[in-house]
Structures are given as structure tokens and as C-alpha cells.
Amino acid sequence: MNTCLVRSYTPNNWVHIAPLLADWPFKPLARHDRWPPPNLLNFTCERVQGAIGNEDVASWVALQQSQARGFACLTMLPWDSDQLGMKAARVEYLIAEGTYSEQLQVKEKLIEQLLLEAHDRGVWHLSARVDASDLSALHVLEESGFITLDGILTLALDLARHKSIERPHDFQIRLATPDDAERVADLARTAFIYDRYHADPFITPERAGELHATWLRGSCTGKAADAVMLAEDHTGLLGFMTCALQPDTHKQLGRMVGTVVMAASTEAARGRGVAYATLMAALDWFREQGCEIVDSGTQVRNIPSLGLFQKCGFRVVGSSISLRRLL
């Protein structure tokens, strides 16, 4: 494995990348359902091909005797760069085959090349999110100067098995409109504390808050989400929940997956069932859009959020670690 050479990816390499993906144990959405293996592989291949076909992505393949032993992507993040005030990028699809030690050697070479490219592109903030069981990737990133920011648990719910339970409440729930953008942004500015931006010691709490405000403003105008569910009463906004669809899941997997991206409530809403009622309304919206599975990711240390999803019938289907390096 020491003779492995890293080269920039070309379309001619795809014939070698596909077998790597077939054996890759961390395919996206793998535990959401009992997908037929060919469907899951096709879905994964389509997502990887979509990534490497993007002009903001640089990719490399690790070759040994004309056979691919590993693969990795560097994805530039224009939106994050604007919000953070520095060029930001993400490590994606850090994949290698073989034993742990063999994977380690290949991934070390891939990361070395990826870091050189990131430096050349002027990247300051480089992030990564890998499966918590992908130990070779975690250890290579740590050895390369990445620090851990948070751990994420992914939870999913099969809507076919879900029965909505209506509970009386003294507030209204509706879909947000662009006119709601500023007041939702105001809540988002102070509502989040567990996310990776607030956990990053290099990012000030004020900048992390503004990032979330911009994110929710874009969600209400349809740029960053497909829908935003609001809870409100005569006093004003009590909470929100943003929803996004994954249309490619229906094409390749046969079942559409929707995602609860973010949720927050005001202090005045605590103990009134706002989060529960908003999630129930969101699930109804997902069902109306043709979704059959809904997922969401929440930080391991966000115990209230984990409790809410489990209370509503979600089950844990994955775990991942978010890391970051400053260049």
C-alpha cells in the first residue's frame, strides 16, 4: 500500500471508484430503511457523481497498480465563506479500502493532497463530518490538525407507521411566508447553542448567531428550505421548524425522504407543547409532499431535542462526528 499514488480525479477513474462505493459501509441513508443493495448503491453513486461534477469540488483518487484504493473530495462552501468572513470548504467522501492500517495510509495521502489544494485556494476554515464508526477517517483528520466540534445523532421516522396524536394547545401553527423572515431570523439569532458553529472556538457567538439568522431568513423565502412551520399566539412567535425535501431519494430508493433541518422555541413557549405540536404539523406537511420517511440530526448533547424526536416515534439510525481545521 506504500506504493499508492494520489492523482486528480478524471472521468476515466469512475470505473474504479464504483467498486469502492459498493464496499463502502457508510453510504448515505443506509439505515433509514431496508433498501435493496443495488438501489442504495445507485443512490450513492448518483450523489458522488453529482458532487464531483460541481465546479466548486476538487477530487482525488488513490491508485495502486491502476486500481483505485481510495477517494476524497474538497468542496468549496461559498455560503459559509460569506457568513464566516473567510474562505470555507469541506472534506467529503474520504474513502479507502482494506484493513484499518491500509485505510489509514491511503487516507493520509489523500488528506495531504487535499490540504495542499485547500491552501492553494486560500481556504481558512476546513470542516468535515464523518460517520462515528469510520475510525480511520477520524484518526487521520485528528492527526492532520482537525479538532472535534460536535457529535450528531441522526433519527428517522417511517410515516407509514406513524399516527399523529392531537394534543390541545393554546396557539396556532401555520406555514411561514416571506413576510415572517425577519422575526424568525430574530429568534434564530439567539436560539441555538449546541451547533458546530457555536462550538467552534474560532467563531464568535455573535457571528454564529448572525449566521443562523441569515439561514432562517433564507428558509422563509424558500432559498434554504422547502417550508418553515411556525407556532404563534397573540404575543407573537413561539417557535419554528424548517423542512427540506430530498427528491433524489424517490428516484433511486423508491421512497421520498424529508428532513427536519432546524427547530427552536422561545423561552415563553417552554412547557406548552410548542415543539411537539410543530413537529406533528411538520410531519403532516411532509406526508402531503409525498414523503414516506422523515429524518433529522441533532447534537448528542442536545438532550431535550433527542427526547422530543424519540417521544414522537423517531429511532436512531446513524451517528457522526463534525471536525474542523484552521489553515
Side-chain angles (χ1 to χ4, degrees):
M1 197 63 72
N2 290 329
T3 60
C4 193
L5 299 176
V6 175
R7 295 286 184 265
S8 293
Y9 172 83
T10 68
N12 291 333
N13 298 132
W14 180 254
V15 67
H16 301 300
I17 300 301
L20 278 178
L21 296 176
D23 295 332
W24 188 38
F26 308 118
K27 297 178 182 66
L29 311 187
R31 298 185 189 133
H32 283 51
D33 198 10
R34 294 181 179 178
W35 314 112
N39 296 49
L40 184 59
L41 177 58
N42 289 338
F43 172 69
T44 303
C45 288
E46 185 174 86
R47 285 209 167 177
V48 173
Q49 287 180 311
I52 59 181
N54 191 308
E55 62 181 9
D56 288 326
V57 176
S59 306
W60 297 267
V61 58
L63 298 169
Q64 184 184 41
Q65 298 178 350
S66 300
Q67 296 297 314
R69 303 301 182 194
F71 178 72
C73 294
L74 172 71
T75 302
M76 300 301 295
L77 303 174
W79 188 87
D80 291 61
S81 299
D82 288 342
Q83 301 307 310
L84 297 178
M86 66 188 83
K87 277 196 176 182
R90 181 172 58 235
V91 179
E92 292 190 299
Y93 300 116
L94 183 55
I95 300 170
E97 68 173 12
T99 65
Y100 166 83
S101 61
E102 290 171 339
Q103 291 180 32
L104 208 64
Q105 292 178 50
V106 172
K107 290 179 180 180
E108 284 172 350
K109 291 179 178 291
L110 288 166
I111 285 293
E112 180 181 354
Q113 189 63 49
L114 190 149
L115 289 174
L116 289 173
E117 179 72 18
H119 276 291
D120 290 344
R121 293 186 179 221
V123 172
W124 279 42
H125 192 276
L126 184 59
S127 59
R129 182 175 169 184
V130 299
D131 193 283
S133 294
D134 192 353
L135 299 182
S136 61
L138 287 170
H139 296 162
V140 164
L141 291 169
E142 289 170 344
E143 291 171 2
S144 301
F146 285 74
I147 64 170
T148 298
L149 295 180
D150 66 14
I152 302 289
L153 288 178
T154 301
L155 302 99
L157 174 71
D158 190 330
L159 287 177
R161 302 184 184 128
H162 170 71
K163 292 184 179 180
S164 181
I165 301 176
E166 293 294 333
R167 296 185 178 182
H169 49 73
D170 58 351
F171 50 85
Q172 296 77 45
I173 296 178
R174 65 173 176 86
L175 287 172
T177 71
D179 292 338
D180 298 305
E182 289 306 321
R183 62 182 187 138
V184 175
D186 286 340
L187 174 54
R189 188 174 286 112
T190 58
F192 298 98
I193 57 174
Y194 297 112
D195 61 281
R196 67 183 178 92
Y197 297 108
H198 282 90
D200 192 331
F202 189 72
I203 300 174
T204 65
E206 292 76 19
R207 186 178 288 276
E210 285 304 319
L211 183 152
H212 281 91
T214 302
W215 195 345
L216 263 297
R217 194 178 294 114
S219 298
C220 288
T221 57
K223 296 178 181 178
D226 292 300
V228 180
M229 203 67 60
L230 300 185
E232 58 188 359
D233 65 7
H234 67 281
T235 66
L237 181 65
L238 297 175
F240 63 78
M241 188 165 292
T242 68
C243 309
L245 304 174
Q246 300 189 50
D248 61 340
T249 55
H250 183 266
K251 173 185 174 183
Q252 294 293 350
L253 299 175
R255 305 184 80 194
M256 176 114 92
V257 177
T259 299
V260 174
V261 183
M262 288 187 290
S265 301
T266 65
E267 289 290 338
R270 304 292 160 80
R272 295 173 60 182
V274 168
Y276 177 88
T278 308
L279 180 54
M280 290 298 104
L283 294 179
D284 288 340
W285 180 85
F286 278 119
R287 187 180 282 109
E288 291 169 1
Q289 311 312 307
C291 290
E292 296 183 62
I293 295 175
V294 177
D295 70 5
S296 188
T298 190
Q299 286 76 19
V300 172
R301 58 199 182 106
N302 191 348
I303 305 302
S305 177
L306 290 171
L308 169 67
F309 283 110
Q310 290 178 317
K311 179 180 180 180
C312 295
F314 284 70
R315 62 185 180 88
V316 176
V317 295
S319 58
S320 57
I321 305 295
S322 295
L323 306 97
R324 183 273 290 157
R325 173 175 167 170
L326 296 177
L327 304 182

